[in-house]
Amino acid sequence: VLYSHLEYICTDSNYCIVQAQEQYRCRIPFNKLKSTLEKDERFCAINRGILVNLDYVDSMEDLVCWMKSGVSFPLNTKKKTELKQILINYRFNIRRKQLSRRC
């Protein structure tokens, strides 16, 4: 599965639910996936056991992360301001890259 196709990953007991174009249920430790994917700026852990691709995030309001697909996840209460800023910075950097290619 390409990183660009990954929408989110969340835990389900001893499994990880990987949502891409299809949904996969894998028996792999969440922390192993998290440590691999967080090296890419697109991925952000928004709460314990929830990792999202910022390309698929619609908004972060109050304590909820809304995905473009309509799925919602709770934000970490203590880090909600930091998580919102991460999303803003990510979108700003993407927009800056797009504008620099046009020039």
Side-chain angles (χ1 to χ4, degrees), residues 8-21:
Y8 60 83
I9 297 170
C10 57
T11 57
D12 180 25
S13 298
N14 293 326
Y15 293 87
C16 284
I17 305 299
V18 178
Q19 181 64 47
Q21 292 173 332

Side-chain angles (χ1 to χ4, degrees), residues 3 6-7 15-16 19 22-23 26 30 43-44 49 52-54 59-60 62 64 67 71 73 77 88 91 98 101:
Y3 281 9
L6 289 175
E7 186 176 337
Y15 293 87
C16 284
Q19 181 64 47
E22 296 180 29
Q23 192 174 82
C26 312
F30 177 79
F43 295 96
C44 178
V52 297
N53 182 338
L54 296 174
S59 65
M60 290 185 184
D62 300 321
V64 180
M67 306 300 289
V71 176
F73 296 107
T77 311
I88 291 167
R91 288 183 174 168
Q98 290 171 343
R101 287 186 200 141

Side-chain angles (χ1 to χ4, degrees), residues 69-84:
S69 63
V71 176
S72 64
F73 296 107
L75 290 174
N76 182 306
T77 311
K78 294 178 183 176
K79 295 183 178 181
K80 72 175 185 172
T81 305
E82 178 186 343
L83 293 169
K84 289 177 184 180

Side-chain angles (χ1 to χ4, degrees), residues 30-39:
F30 177 79
N31 285 334
K32 186 173 183 177
L33 284 175
K34 179 183 169 193
S35 64
T36 302
L37 292 174
E38 278 190 324
K39 294 173 187 172

